[in-house]
Tab-separated table of all heavy atoms in Angstrom:
chain	number	residue	atom	x	y	z
A	230	GLU	N	1.847	33.103	-39.835
A	230	GLU	CA	1.026	31.917	-39.595
A	230	GLU	C	0.888	31.579	-38.113
A	230	GLU	O	0.197	30.625	-37.753
A	230	GLU	CB	1.642	30.706	-40.322
A	230	GLU	CG	1.823	30.877	-41.815
A	230	GLU	CD	0.515	31.099	-42.538
A	230	GLU	OE1	-0.491	30.450	-42.142
A	230	GLU	OE2	0.486	31.910	-43.493
A	231	THR	N	1.529	32.353	-37.256
A	231	THR	CA	1.664	31.963	-35.851
A	231	THR	C	1.018	32.974	-34.915
A	231	THR	O	1.102	34.189	-35.125
A	231	THR	CB	3.159	31.815	-35.488
A	231	THR	OG1	3.767	30.874	-36.386
A	231	THR	CG2	3.331	31.338	-34.059
A	232	THR	N	0.381	32.469	-33.854
A	232	THR	CA	-0.177	33.311	-32.804
A	232	THR	C	0.818	33.373	-31.645
A	232	THR	O	1.209	32.335	-31.100
A	232	THR	CB	-1.519	32.761	-32.298
A	232	THR	OG1	-2.419	32.628	-33.402
A	232	THR	CG2	-2.132	33.695	-31.268
A	233	TYR	N	1.234	34.582	-31.288
A	233	TYR	CA	2.200	34.790	-30.211
A	233	TYR	C	1.477	35.303	-28.961
A	233	TYR	O	0.585	36.155	-29.054
A	233	TYR	CB	3.276	35.798	-30.634
A	233	TYR	CG	4.283	35.211	-31.604
A	233	TYR	CD1	3.995	35.130	-32.964
A	233	TYR	CD2	5.507	34.720	-31.159
A	233	TYR	CE1	4.908	34.584	-33.859
A	233	TYR	CE2	6.429	34.181	-32.046
A	233	TYR	CZ	6.115	34.116	-33.391
A	233	TYR	OH	7.020	33.562	-34.264
A	234	HIS	N	1.892	34.777	-27.812
A	234	HIS	CA	1.292	35.153	-26.533
A	234	HIS	C	2.393	35.617	-25.587
A	234	HIS	O	3.377	34.906	-25.362
A	234	HIS	CB	0.575	33.959	-25.896
A	234	HIS	CG	-0.384	33.258	-26.812
A	234	HIS	ND1	-1.740	33.517	-26.799
A	234	HIS	CD2	-0.180	32.301	-27.745
A	234	HIS	CE1	-2.331	32.743	-27.699
A	234	HIS	NE2	-1.420	31.995	-28.282
A	235	CYS	N	2.235	36.810	-25.021
A	235	CYS	CA	3.217	37.326	-24.068
A	235	CYS	C	2.488	38.044	-22.937
A	235	CYS	O	1.975	39.151	-23.122
A	235	CYS	CB	4.187	38.284	-24.752
A	235	CYS	SG	5.414	38.990	-23.627
A	236	ARG	N	2.427	37.403	-21.791
A	236	ARG	CA	1.794	38.022	-20.620
A	236	ARG	C	2.510	37.541	-19.348
A	236	ARG	O	1.924	36.836	-18.517
A	236	ARG	CB	0.286	37.725	-20.593
A	236	ARG	CG	-0.101	36.300	-20.944
A	236	ARG	CD	-1.619	36.117	-20.891
A	236	ARG	NE	-2.304	36.884	-21.908
A	236	ARG	CZ	-2.506	36.457	-23.165
A	236	ARG	NH1	-2.080	35.269	-23.546
A	236	ARG	NH2	-3.158	37.194	-24.037
A	237	PRO	N	3.771	37.930	-19.174
A	237	PRO	CA	4.531	37.485	-18.003
A	237	PRO	C	3.927	37.964	-16.690
A	237	PRO	O	3.341	39.045	-16.623
A	237	PRO	CB	5.918	38.096	-18.232
A	237	PRO	CG	5.664	39.259	-19.146
A	237	PRO	CD	4.532	38.847	-20.032
A	238	PHE	N	4.083	37.153	-15.661
A	238	PHE	CA	3.625	37.528	-14.321
A	238	PHE	C	4.421	38.724	-13.820
A	238	PHE	O	3.856	39.699	-13.327
A	238	PHE	CB	3.787	36.319	-13.384
A	238	PHE	CG	3.109	36.471	-12.056
A	238	PHE	CD1	1.751	36.673	-11.970
A	238	PHE	CD2	3.835	36.370	-10.874
A	238	PHE	CE1	1.103	36.798	-10.734
A	238	PHE	CE2	3.216	36.489	-9.635
A	238	PHE	CZ	1.849	36.710	-9.560
A	239	GLY	N	5.745	38.667	-13.920
A	239	GLY	CA	6.589	39.808	-13.613
A	239	GLY	C	6.806	40.069	-12.133
A	239	GLY	O	6.374	39.306	-11.274
A	240	TYR	N	7.500	41.182	-11.843
A	240	TYR	CA	7.811	41.565	-10.467
A	240	TYR	C	6.618	42.256	-9.810
A	240	TYR	O	5.841	42.944	-10.472
A	240	TYR	CB	9.004	42.506	-10.424
A	240	TYR	CG	10.290	41.929	-10.949
A	240	TYR	CD1	11.135	42.698	-11.750
A	240	TYR	CD2	10.689	40.627	-10.645
A	240	TYR	CE1	12.339	42.207	-12.221
A	240	TYR	CE2	11.888	40.116	-11.117
A	240	TYR	CZ	12.704	40.912	-11.908
A	240	TYR	OH	13.883	40.395	-12.380
A	241	TYR	N	6.550	42.145	-8.500
A	241	TYR	CA	5.430	42.721	-7.748
A	241	TYR	C	5.316	44.231	-7.930
A	241	TYR	O	4.216	44.791	-7.881
A	241	TYR	CB	5.561	42.382	-6.260
A	241	TYR	CG	6.716	43.058	-5.557
A	241	TYR	CD1	6.550	44.277	-4.902
A	241	TYR	CD2	7.991	42.494	-5.537
A	241	TYR	CE1	7.607	44.917	-4.267
A	241	TYR	CE2	9.048	43.111	-4.910
A	241	TYR	CZ	8.863	44.319	-4.277
A	241	TYR	OH	9.910	44.940	-3.652
A	242	PHE	N	6.437	44.914	-8.145
A	242	PHE	CA	6.375	46.371	-8.280
A	242	PHE	C	5.978	46.794	-9.695
A	242	PHE	O	5.851	47.985	-9.971
A	242	PHE	CB	7.697	47.034	-7.867
A	242	PHE	CG	8.931	46.435	-8.498
A	242	PHE	CD1	9.360	46.822	-9.752
A	242	PHE	CD2	9.661	45.468	-7.818
A	242	PHE	CE1	10.491	46.279	-10.319
A	242	PHE	CE2	10.798	44.909	-8.371
A	242	PHE	CZ	11.211	45.318	-9.628
A	243	GLU	N	5.747	45.822	-10.588
A	243	GLU	CA	5.282	46.118	-11.936
A	243	GLU	C	3.794	45.792	-12.128
A	243	GLU	O	3.197	46.172	-13.124
A	243	GLU	CB	6.065	45.287	-12.962
A	243	GLU	CG	7.564	45.491	-12.928
A	243	GLU	CD	8.306	44.435	-13.725
A	243	GLU	OE1	7.881	43.250	-13.703
A	243	GLU	OE2	9.311	44.785	-14.360
A	244	TRP	N	3.212	45.082	-11.196
A	244	TRP	CA	1.877	44.529	-11.367
A	244	TRP	C	0.807	45.604	-11.545
A	244	TRP	O	0.930	46.729	-11.048
A	244	TRP	CB	1.507	43.677	-10.152
A	244	TRP	CG	2.259	42.392	-10.028
A	244	TRP	CD1	2.964	41.743	-10.992
A	244	TRP	CD2	2.366	41.593	-8.834
A	244	TRP	NE1	3.494	40.577	-10.481
A	244	TRP	CE2	3.137	40.467	-9.168
A	244	TRP	CE3	1.869	41.730	-7.535
A	244	TRP	CZ2	3.434	39.473	-8.234
A	244	TRP	CZ3	2.165	40.739	-6.599
A	244	TRP	CH2	2.932	39.622	-6.952
A	245	GLN	N	-0.271	45.190	-12.187
A	245	GLN	CA	-1.442	46.042	-12.305
A	245	GLN	C	-2.046	46.304	-10.931
A	245	GLN	O	-2.484	47.424	-10.641
A	245	GLN	CB	-2.480	45.380	-13.221
A	245	GLN	CG	-3.766	46.169	-13.401
A	245	GLN	CD	-3.571	47.485	-14.124
A	245	GLN	OE1	-2.651	47.606	-14.939
A	245	GLN	NE2	-4.409	48.465	-13.829
A	246	LEU	N	-2.070	45.296	-10.067
A	246	LEU	CA	-2.629	45.482	-8.723
A	246	LEU	C	-1.813	46.503	-7.934
A	246	LEU	O	-2.362	47.253	-7.119
A	246	LEU	CB	-2.731	44.159	-7.969
A	246	LEU	CG	-1.503	43.461	-7.374
A	246	LEU	CD1	-1.103	44.054	-6.019
A	246	LEU	CD2	-1.772	41.976	-7.202
A	247	THR	N	-0.510	46.523	-8.174
A	247	THR	CA	0.353	47.489	-7.499
A	247	THR	C	0.071	48.900	-7.996
A	247	THR	O	0.008	49.852	-7.203
A	247	THR	CB	1.830	47.135	-7.732
A	247	THR	OG1	2.062	45.791	-7.308
A	247	THR	CG2	2.746	48.078	-6.971
Side-chain angles (χ1 to χ4, degrees):
E230 303 299 322
T231 304
T232 304
Y233 285 82
H234 309 263
C235 179
R236 42 180 66 86
F238 192 60
Y240 298 139
Y241 68 93
F242 50 84
E243 302 167 322
W244 290 342
Q245 179 66 29
L246 75 81
T247 304

